[in-house]
Amino acid sequence: MTVRKCIRILDPGPLATVQDRGRWGFRSWGVPLSGAMDPLALRFANLLAGNGEAAAGLEIAVGGFRAEFLCAAVFCLAGAVREALIDGSPVEFWRACSAKEGSILSVDFRGPGLRIYLAVSGGIDLPPVMGSRSTYLRGGFGGLSGRALRALDLLPLGNQEGRPVDRPVPEEIVPDYSPEPVLRAIPGPQDERLSRRGRTAFFTEQYEVSSRTDRMGMALSGAPLELTGGADIISDGTCPGAVQVHGNGQPTILGADCQTTGGYVKFATVISSDLPLVAQLAPGDRVRFEETDLWSAREIYMKNEYLIRRFFR
Amino acid sequence: MYSKPKVLLCGDTGVTIEFGDRIDPETNRLVRRLFRVLQSANHPGISDLNPTYRSLFIQYDPWVCSFERLLQIVDRALSPGGPPEPQTASIKDIPVRYGGEFGPDLEEVADYHKIEVGELIRLHCAPVYQVYMIGFTPGFAYLGGLDKKLHTPRKKEPRKKVFAGSVGIADQQTGIYPIESPGGWQIIGRTPLRLFDPGREAPFLLQAGDSVRFRPVSEEETWQYLWESLQ
């Protein structure tokens, strides 16, 4: 019997799941994209640890996480920064680190933001479902048996693909996380469904993130927005980052596990470069939306993408 | 149906091509055609497609394919001289055990319409239905073509648990629950077919654009199907 390289979960915290960059190509069958809510953090963690971009890692909500390495490995933490220790020594985020066989990694639960990502060299090597190792909790498939991780779970690691990157990530490409972020959003697809007053309010008001926040989306509360003609539409395609406005005039930002079709007005869509900011919103945080257009958003995206690729070249 | 499809922005990595503002076979046919042409063309940079009642959602990667290039691709796919739509599949047969424990609302629905149960089953099995779209949950097919005589309001109180394979009616829609879930549809029968199985090589039995026909089966045949699916 070969002893596989593994990590063992000692304490998953409130919610830890295996995620990769998502389940692409199946939305036409009603299968949500899933994957890391903060795709950039997982991507960095993977690349720094020497993995390819498709490798699976862990998405840890809040913190309070502990795991044991059953083999030597390189790992990387990214996303919401926490106090983290490996065998009692501090772990720097956004930086590749080493673990020995028997090392214990702990991540505290206190700190800003919501989601922490752990990539380990070789990636989490569980059988893919429909081409992805992302966990879709509601559907009960993907990741480790379609469920949240529990204490004593063993996660096998794959073979190391590339070399870890032993340089600190420049600040300019780390997202500007904040408990009061400004989210840039492009009006559409149903932007004509808010009145002029509603549209102005959408881009001026500050909204509070309610406790109804999960991987499907986050409900915001604030001054009700004025709709023209109700909140219902003939169900059409949705995507993470889309902002739905319900009959009560309250917006909801859709998350990675959102249903693939929806029958509510989507007034605007958060730009892809700001999705990491959305992923780190915790109940009680406040957001404001800033109107932008496709060309400005594209410029931001292309510039970031260029910097990322240049760093990891 | 619009005279010209609308291009709606969904952020900087998504676009919805909208063909109309109502649910009807002609509009849906345009959606499906574009979906299948783009699906088989498999352009790098188009990372996902989602056909719905009256629009096609496209997710793309601007690093690989710009918005302008995407519109060119869509334009060409829509043009009459453009690539042909891939051949439609044959009609999918859905065996259904109507009534009894599998269709607890069958008699109530028949009473509502003041028809015999046998007539209800006949009316439900007669049409060839189109799969308008798959959404709400993995594998849930929205079928178009339900006979007006069978349009029935949803249950006043949704059930906490509807079994996988349940065949239901709600307003002008009929559909099949692919997995167990809560639901408010009137359940008239159940199919032993597993419409969605994440572990199967072809996880889904139905996709948007498929044609479907229901066929009533005996209790014995139902158990036969279930037995075979376990082999």
Side-chain angles (χ1 to χ4, degrees), chain A residues 101-124:
Chain A
E101 183 183 327
S103 286
I104 308 275
L105 169 69
S106 65
V107 178
D108 197 51
F109 63 90
R110 289 161 300 193
L114 185 63
R115 294 180 170 99
I116 303 119
Y117 293 85
L118 170 65
V120 184
S121 50
I124 307 294

PDB file of all heavy atoms in Angstrom, chain A residues 101-124:
ATOM      1  N   GLU A 101       7.057  17.137   7.197  1.00  0.00           N
ATOM      2  CA  GLU A 101       6.133  16.071   7.581  1.00  0.00           C
ATOM      3  C   GLU A 101       5.819  16.249   9.060  1.00  0.00           C
ATOM      4  O   GLU A 101       6.715  16.376   9.886  1.00  0.00           O
ATOM      5  CB  GLU A 101       6.797  14.708   7.353  1.00  0.00           C
ATOM      6  CG  GLU A 101       5.872  13.550   7.650  1.00  0.00           C
ATOM      7  CD  GLU A 101       6.573  12.208   7.499  1.00  0.00           C
ATOM      8  OE1 GLU A 101       7.469  12.113   6.629  1.00  0.00           O
ATOM      9  OE2 GLU A 101       6.246  11.274   8.249  1.00  0.00           O
ATOM     10  N   GLY A 102       4.546  16.315   9.382  1.00  0.00           N
ATOM     11  CA  GLY A 102       4.121  16.487  10.775  1.00  0.00           C
ATOM     12  C   GLY A 102       3.877  17.933  11.177  1.00  0.00           C
ATOM     13  O   GLY A 102       3.412  18.218  12.280  1.00  0.00           O
ATOM     14  N   SER A 103       4.156  18.882  10.271  1.00  0.00           N
ATOM     15  CA  SER A 103       3.927  20.295  10.602  1.00  0.00           C
ATOM     16  C   SER A 103       2.445  20.572  10.822  1.00  0.00           C
ATOM     17  O   SER A 103       1.589  20.013  10.146  1.00  0.00           O
ATOM     18  CB  SER A 103       4.424  21.212   9.484  1.00  0.00           C
ATOM     19  OG  SER A 103       5.819  21.281   9.461  1.00  0.00           O
ATOM     20  N   ILE A 104       2.161  21.472  11.764  1.00  0.00           N
ATOM     21  CA  ILE A 104       0.778  21.894  12.028  1.00  0.00           C
ATOM     22  C   ILE A 104       0.643  23.355  11.613  1.00  0.00           C
ATOM     23  O   ILE A 104       1.429  24.213  12.047  1.00  0.00           O
ATOM     24  CB  ILE A 104       0.438  21.794  13.534  1.00  0.00           C
ATOM     25  CG1 ILE A 104       0.767  20.415  14.068  1.00  0.00           C
ATOM     26  CG2 ILE A 104      -1.026  22.177  13.773  1.00  0.00           C
ATOM     27  CD1 ILE A 104      -0.291  19.370  13.888  1.00  0.00           C
ATOM     28  N   LEU A 105      -0.341  23.614  10.779  1.00  0.00           N
ATOM     29  CA  LEU A 105      -0.654  24.978  10.334  1.00  0.00           C
ATOM     30  C   LEU A 105      -1.905  25.442  11.062  1.00  0.00           C
ATOM     31  O   LEU A 105      -2.893  24.707  11.129  1.00  0.00           O
ATOM     32  CB  LEU A 105      -0.897  25.003   8.828  1.00  0.00           C
ATOM     33  CG  LEU A 105      -1.480  26.298   8.237  1.00  0.00           C
ATOM     34  CD1 LEU A 105      -0.453  27.426   8.306  1.00  0.00           C
ATOM     35  CD2 LEU A 105      -1.928  26.086   6.793  1.00  0.00           C
ATOM     36  N   SER A 106      -1.855  26.638  11.628  1.00  0.00           N
ATOM     37  CA  SER A 106      -3.074  27.169  12.240  1.00  0.00           C
ATOM     38  C   SER A 106      -3.330  28.572  11.707  1.00  0.00           C
ATOM     39  O   SER A 106      -2.398  29.344  11.473  1.00  0.00           O
ATOM     40  CB  SER A 106      -2.960  27.189  13.763  1.00  0.00           C
ATOM     41  OG  SER A 106      -1.959  28.096  14.156  1.00  0.00           O
ATOM     42  N   VAL A 107      -4.594  28.877  11.500  1.00  0.00           N
ATOM     43  CA  VAL A 107      -5.016  30.192  11.004  1.00  0.00           C
ATOM     44  C   VAL A 107      -6.037  30.737  11.982  1.00  0.00           C
ATOM     45  O   VAL A 107      -7.060  30.095  12.245  1.00  0.00           O
ATOM     46  CB  VAL A 107      -5.647  30.074   9.597  1.00  0.00           C
ATOM     47  CG1 VAL A 107      -6.116  31.442   9.109  1.00  0.00           C
ATOM     48  CG2 VAL A 107      -4.674  29.453   8.611  1.00  0.00           C
ATOM     49  N   ASP A 108      -5.767  31.924  12.536  1.00  0.00           N
ATOM     50  CA  ASP A 108      -6.664  32.509  13.525  1.00  0.00           C
ATOM     51  C   ASP A 108      -7.972  32.936  12.868  1.00  0.00           C
ATOM     52  O   ASP A 108      -8.046  33.057  11.643  1.00  0.00           O
ATOM     53  CB  ASP A 108      -5.971  33.708  14.176  1.00  0.00           C
ATOM     54  CG  ASP A 108      -6.637  34.120  15.479  1.00  0.00           C
ATOM     55  OD1 ASP A 108      -6.848  33.240  16.324  1.00  0.00           O
ATOM     56  OD2 ASP A 108      -6.966  35.313  15.632  1.00  0.00           O
ATOM     57  N   PHE A 109      -9.006  33.190  13.684  1.00  0.00           N
ATOM     58  CA  PHE A 109     -10.298  33.596  13.100  1.00  0.00           C
ATOM     59  C   PHE A 109     -10.513  35.103  13.122  1.00  0.00           C
ATOM     60  O   PHE A 109     -11.459  35.618  12.564  1.00  0.00           O
ATOM     61  CB  PHE A 109     -11.468  32.886  13.791  1.00  0.00           C
ATOM     62  CG  PHE A 109     -11.614  33.230  15.250  1.00  0.00           C
ATOM     63  CD1 PHE A 109     -12.404  34.298  15.656  1.00  0.00           C
ATOM     64  CD2 PHE A 109     -10.967  32.484  16.219  1.00  0.00           C
ATOM     65  CE1 PHE A 109     -12.530  34.622  17.001  1.00  0.00           C
ATOM     66  CE2 PHE A 109     -11.087  32.788  17.563  1.00  0.00           C
ATOM     67  CZ  PHE A 109     -11.872  33.872  17.952  1.00  0.00           C
ATOM     68  N   ARG A 110      -9.617  35.831  13.801  1.00  0.00           N
ATOM     69  CA  ARG A 110      -9.833  37.274  13.920  1.00  0.00           C
ATOM     70  C   ARG A 110      -9.130  38.013  12.794  1.00  0.00           C
ATOM     71  O   ARG A 110      -7.956  37.754  12.509  1.00  0.00           O
ATOM     72  CB  ARG A 110      -9.304  37.783  15.260  1.00  0.00           C
ATOM     73  CG  ARG A 110     -10.145  37.351  16.428  1.00  0.00           C
ATOM     74  CD  ARG A 110      -9.371  37.464  17.712  1.00  0.00           C
ATOM     75  NE  ARG A 110      -8.174  36.621  17.694  1.00  0.00           N
ATOM     76  CZ  ARG A 110      -7.473  36.344  18.777  1.00  0.00           C
ATOM     77  NH1 ARG A 110      -7.856  36.833  19.946  1.00  0.00           N
ATOM     78  NH2 ARG A 110      -6.391  35.592  18.705  1.00  0.00           N
ATOM     79  N   GLY A 111      -9.845  38.982  12.224  1.00  0.00           N
ATOM     80  CA  GLY A 111      -9.217  39.798  11.203  1.00  0.00           C
ATOM     81  C   GLY A 111     -10.236  40.283  10.193  1.00  0.00           C
ATOM     82  O   GLY A 111     -11.377  39.816  10.177  1.00  0.00           O
ATOM     83  N   PRO A 112      -9.827  41.225   9.344  1.00  0.00           N
ATOM     84  CA  PRO A 112     -10.750  41.774   8.348  1.00  0.00           C
ATOM     85  C   PRO A 112     -11.013  40.779   7.235  1.00  0.00           C
ATOM     86  O   PRO A 112     -10.286  39.787   7.092  1.00  0.00           O
ATOM     87  CB  PRO A 112      -9.984  42.994   7.812  1.00  0.00           C
ATOM     88  CG  PRO A 112      -8.548  42.642   8.017  1.00  0.00           C
ATOM     89  CD  PRO A 112      -8.481  41.779   9.235  1.00  0.00           C
ATOM     90  N   GLY A 113     -12.025  41.046   6.459  1.00  0.00           N
ATOM     91  CA  GLY A 113     -12.324  40.177   5.326  1.00  0.00           C
ATOM     92  C   GLY A 113     -12.971  38.889   5.783  1.00  0.00           C
ATOM     93  O   GLY A 113     -13.266  38.685   6.961  1.00  0.00           O
ATOM     94  N   LEU A 114     -13.215  37.990   4.823  1.00  0.00           N
ATOM     95  CA  LEU A 114     -13.987  36.796   5.143  1.00  0.00           C
ATOM     96  C   LEU A 114     -13.350  35.493   4.693  1.00  0.00           C
ATOM     97  O   LEU A 114     -13.490  34.484   5.378  1.00  0.00           O
ATOM     98  CB  LEU A 114     -15.381  36.914   4.496  1.00  0.00           C
ATOM     99  CG  LEU A 114     -16.377  35.819   4.815  1.00  0.00           C
ATOM    100  CD1 LEU A 114     -16.701  35.796   6.301  1.00  0.00           C
ATOM    101  CD2 LEU A 114     -17.665  35.993   4.015  1.00  0.00           C
ATOM    102  N   ARG A 115     -12.656  35.487   3.573  1.00  0.00           N
ATOM    103  CA  ARG A 115     -12.226  34.205   3.006  1.00  0.00           C
ATOM    104  C   ARG A 115     -10.725  34.119   2.825  1.00  0.00           C
ATOM    105  O   ARG A 115     -10.094  34.999   2.242  1.00  0.00           O
ATOM    106  CB  ARG A 115     -12.948  33.956   1.682  1.00  0.00           C
ATOM    107  CG  ARG A 115     -14.451  33.778   1.894  1.00  0.00           C
ATOM    108  CD  ARG A 115     -15.206  33.534   0.603  1.00  0.00           C
ATOM    109  NE  ARG A 115     -16.588  33.146   0.888  1.00  0.00           N
ATOM    110  CZ  ARG A 115     -17.630  33.981   0.834  1.00  0.00           C
ATOM    111  NH1 ARG A 115     -17.462  35.242   0.491  1.00  0.00           N
ATOM    112  NH2 ARG A 115     -18.844  33.539   1.126  1.00  0.00           N
ATOM    113  N   ILE A 116     -10.179  33.033   3.347  1.00  0.00           N
ATOM    114  CA  ILE A 116      -8.743  32.765   3.283  1.00  0.00           C
ATOM    115  C   ILE A 116      -8.535  31.567   2.351  1.00  0.00           C
ATOM    116  O   ILE A 116      -9.327  30.617   2.376  1.00  0.00           O
ATOM    117  CB  ILE A 116      -8.204  32.391   4.691  1.00  0.00           C
ATOM    118  CG1 ILE A 116      -8.508  33.516   5.679  1.00  0.00           C
ATOM    119  CG2 ILE A 116      -6.722  32.071   4.635  1.00  0.00           C
ATOM    120  CD1 ILE A 116      -9.380  33.078   6.822  1.00  0.00           C
ATOM    121  N   TYR A 117      -7.497  31.630   1.551  1.00  0.00           N
ATOM    122  CA  TYR A 117      -7.238  30.541   0.609  1.00  0.00           C
ATOM    123  C   TYR A 117      -5.916  29.866   0.934  1.00  0.00           C
ATOM    124  O   TYR A 117      -4.917  30.537   1.232  1.00  0.00           O
ATOM    125  CB  TYR A 117      -7.239  31.072  -0.832  1.00  0.00           C
ATOM    126  CG  TYR A 117      -8.630  31.516  -1.200  1.00  0.00           C
ATOM    127  CD1 TYR A 117      -9.065  32.803  -0.869  1.00  0.00           C
ATOM    128  CD2 TYR A 117      -9.535  30.630  -1.791  1.00  0.00           C
ATOM    129  CE1 TYR A 117     -10.372  33.188  -1.137  1.00  0.00           C
ATOM    130  CE2 TYR A 117     -10.832  31.019  -2.062  1.00  0.00           C
ATOM    131  CZ  TYR A 117     -11.248  32.296  -1.726  1.00  0.00           C
ATOM    132  OH  TYR A 117     -12.537  32.680  -1.976  1.00  0.00           O
ATOM    133  N   LEU A 118      -5.937  28.552   0.905  1.00  0.00           N
ATOM    134  CA  LEU A 118      -4.738  27.756   1.153  1.00  0.00           C
ATOM    135  C   LEU A 118      -4.460  26.902  -0.071  1.00  0.00           C
ATOM    136  O   LEU A 118      -5.298  26.104  -0.482  1.00  0.00           O
ATOM    137  CB  LEU A 118      -4.929  26.845   2.380  1.00  0.00           C
ATOM    138  CG  LEU A 118      -3.841  25.785   2.616  1.00  0.00           C
ATOM    139  CD1 LEU A 118      -2.499  26.441   2.934  1.00  0.00           C
ATOM    140  CD2 LEU A 118      -4.247  24.835   3.755  1.00  0.00           C
ATOM    141  N   ALA A 119      -3.287  27.115  -0.666  1.00  0.00           N
ATOM    142  CA  ALA A 119      -2.847  26.248  -1.762  1.00  0.00           C
ATOM    143  C   ALA A 119      -1.672  25.430  -1.246  1.00  0.00           C
ATOM    144  O   ALA A 119      -0.840  25.933  -0.498  1.00  0.00           O
ATOM    145  CB  ALA A 119      -2.425  27.080  -2.968  1.00  0.00           C
ATOM    146  N   VAL A 120      -1.628  24.165  -1.608  1.00  0.00           N
ATOM    147  CA  VAL A 120      -0.531  23.286  -1.220  1.00  0.00           C
ATOM    148  C   VAL A 120       0.086  22.699  -2.483  1.00  0.00           C
ATOM    149  O   VAL A 120      -0.636  22.391  -3.441  1.00  0.00           O
ATOM    150  CB  VAL A 120      -1.028  22.141  -0.307  1.00  0.00           C
ATOM    151  CG1 VAL A 120       0.148  21.294   0.175  1.00  0.00           C
ATOM    152  CG2 VAL A 120      -1.808  22.695   0.870  1.00  0.00           C
ATOM    153  N   SER A 121       1.420  22.563  -2.494  1.00  0.00           N
ATOM    154  CA  SER A 121       2.113  22.075  -3.698  1.00  0.00           C
ATOM    155  C   SER A 121       1.540  20.734  -4.140  1.00  0.00           C
ATOM    156  O   SER A 121       1.378  19.813  -3.333  1.00  0.00           O
ATOM    157  CB  SER A 121       3.618  21.951  -3.447  1.00  0.00           C
ATOM    158  OG  SER A 121       3.861  21.227  -2.251  1.00  0.00           O
ATOM    159  N   GLY A 122       1.217  20.657  -5.439  1.00  0.00           N
ATOM    160  CA  GLY A 122       0.603  19.456  -5.990  1.00  0.00           C
ATOM    161  C   GLY A 122      -0.903  19.596  -6.113  1.00  0.00           C
ATOM    162  O   GLY A 122      -1.546  18.881  -6.866  1.00  0.00           O
ATOM    163  N   GLY A 123      -1.475  20.522  -5.379  1.00  0.00           N
ATOM    164  CA  GLY A 123      -2.919  20.720  -5.420  1.00  0.00           C
ATOM    165  C   GLY A 123      -3.666  19.623  -4.686  1.00  0.00           C
ATOM    166  O   GLY A 123      -3.123  18.551  -4.412  1.00  0.00           O
ATOM    167  N   ILE A 124      -4.928  19.883  -4.340  1.00  0.00           N
ATOM    168  CA  ILE A 124      -5.759  18.869  -3.682  1.00  0.00           C
ATOM    169  C   ILE A 124      -6.202  17.908  -4.780  1.00  0.00           C
ATOM    170  O   ILE A 124      -6.913  18.289  -5.717  1.00  0.00           O
ATOM    171  CB  ILE A 124      -6.990  19.508  -3.008  1.00  0.00           C
ATOM    172  CG1 ILE A 124      -6.586  20.645  -2.066  1.00  0.00           C
ATOM    173  CG2 ILE A 124      -7.803  18.450  -2.276  1.00  0.00           C
ATOM    174  CD1 ILE A 124      -5.799  20.235  -0.855  1.00  0.00           C
TER     175      ILE A 124
END
